[in-house]
């Protein structure tokens, strides 16, 4: 089996050659009129995307629940000593 592209497509090329030889003028006229029709179709918006009429925006309402880690309070201050020198009134802690 020969898989050479020139050998495989040779019958196709022979058929196209015979078609052009017999009906070349008619093929030319058909392609010219088809190309004009395609150009008119393109200029009229044939390649543009067709948008649906009306509201094109779809809104889908939704509620999103997210889990947050619990807020932890700061650790309690258990044992602090107050220095009497830090007192702004220069009073000691023993005086009433």
């Amino acid at each position: 089996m020969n898989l050479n592209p020139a050998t495989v497509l040779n019958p196709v090329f022979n058929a196209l050659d015979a078609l052009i030889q017999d009906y070349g003028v008619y093929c030319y006229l058909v392609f010219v009129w088809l190309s004009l029709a395609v150009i008119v179709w393109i200029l009229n918006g044939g390649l543009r995307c067709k948008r649906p009429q009306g509201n094109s925006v779809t809104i889908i309402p939704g509620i999103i629940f997210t889990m947050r880690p619990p807020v932890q309070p700061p650790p309690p201050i258990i044992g602090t000593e107050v220095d009497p020198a830090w007192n702004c009134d220069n009073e000691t802690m023993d005086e009433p």
Side-chain angles (χ1 to χ4, degrees):
M1 180 175 201
N2 191 359
L3 295 179
N4 186 4
T7 307
V8 173
L9 294 176
N10 199 17
V12 175
F13 292 138
N14 289 337
L16 286 175
D17 284 339
L19 180 72
I20 292 171
Q21 186 177 4
D22 294 337
Y23 303 106
V25 175
Y26 301 114
C27 292
Y28 175 75
L29 290 174
V30 168
F31 286 130
V32 166
W33 286 106
L34 282 178
S35 67
L36 290 175
V38 168
I39 290 171
V40 168
W41 176 69
I42 290 172
L43 291 177
N44 283 331
L47 294 178
R48 275 189 263 151
C49 294
K50 302 291 182 188
R51 293 185 180 168
Q53 297 295 330
N55 191 3
S56 63
V57 178
T58 303
I59 299 174
I60 300 172
I63 300 174
I64 300 174
F65 293 100
T66 59
M67 299 297 292
R68 284 201 252 163
V71 178
Q72 296 179 355
I77 301 173
I78 295 176
T80 58
E81 295 180 14
V82 178
D83 188 12
W86 289 354
N87 193 352
C88 63
D89 293 337
N90 290 334
E91 298 176 5
T92 60
M93 302 255 322
D94 294 335
E95 295 177 337

